[in-house]
Amino acid sequence: LIDLKEGFPTRVTGRLEVSLTTGGNITQGDALYLDTGTGKVKKAVGNATEDEATVIGFAKETKFADNPIDVQIAGILGVSGLSPGVLMFLSDTGAGAITATAPTTSGRFVVRVGEVAASNQLIIRPEPPIKLA
């Protein structure tokens, strides 16, 4: 019998980042998706296509279009004004934004992006989008 609980980390201590190219103006902290047609990252949003709602990570810096950008895809992201223990979701009204309130409108996507560890720490854990019927 294998005890799988022994193999899972109980806390997140590191972070994973990748450098990509922006497909538009991006602000530090924006939730991002990868545009597979161009290979560039753009602001994710929950009221468009499934691809645009598939969060791959968050912008580590503010950059203009067609510039290299570091995207944090795992670990703890520094974000201010959060409530510890709250689940965070991709916004269905503002591109790149996250919210503590899951979308409820038919045809939009619910995308859990992480959980708040402290008032200034988001543990990044993006999940696949779920389209509301």
Side-chain angles (χ1 to χ4, degrees):
L1 188 60
I2 299 172
D3 185 359
L4 295 177
K5 291 187 286 186
E6 295 298 319
F8 292 110
T10 56
R11 61 191 166 119
V12 179
T13 57
R15 64 178 177 250
L16 182 59
E17 297 176 7
V18 63
S19 184
L20 297 166
T21 302
T22 60
N25 295 342
I26 293 176
T27 303
Q28 181 181 9
D30 280 344
L32 304 174
Y33 80 96
L34 181 64
D35 182 337
T36 55
T38 64
K40 297 179 181 183
V41 289
K42 297 179 178 178
K43 294 180 182 184
V45 68
N47 65 355
T49 67
E50 184 175 359
D51 285 345
E52 291 172 289
T54 303
V55 175
I56 64 160
F58 291 85
K60 292 288 295 171
E61 54 208 336
T62 297
K63 292 284 182 138
F64 292 112
D66 298 316
N67 281 287
I69 189 169
D70 290 332
V71 178
Q72 186 172 339
I73 58 176
I76 296 176
L77 179 69
V79 181
S80 62
L82 303 176
S83 298
V86 173
L87 297 176
M88 297 301 289
F89 300 88
L90 178 65
S91 173
D92 65 338
T93 59
I98 60 174
T99 178
T101 306
T104 57
T105 305
S106 178
R108 305 235 172 139
F109 291 93
V110 174
V111 183
R112 194 164 92 178
V113 296
E115 183 176 353
V116 181
S119 63
N120 61 349
Q121 296 179 334
L122 173 69
I123 301 171
I124 301 172
R125 290 189 183 137
E127 296 183 0
I130 299 170
K131 190 170 188 175
L132 296 172

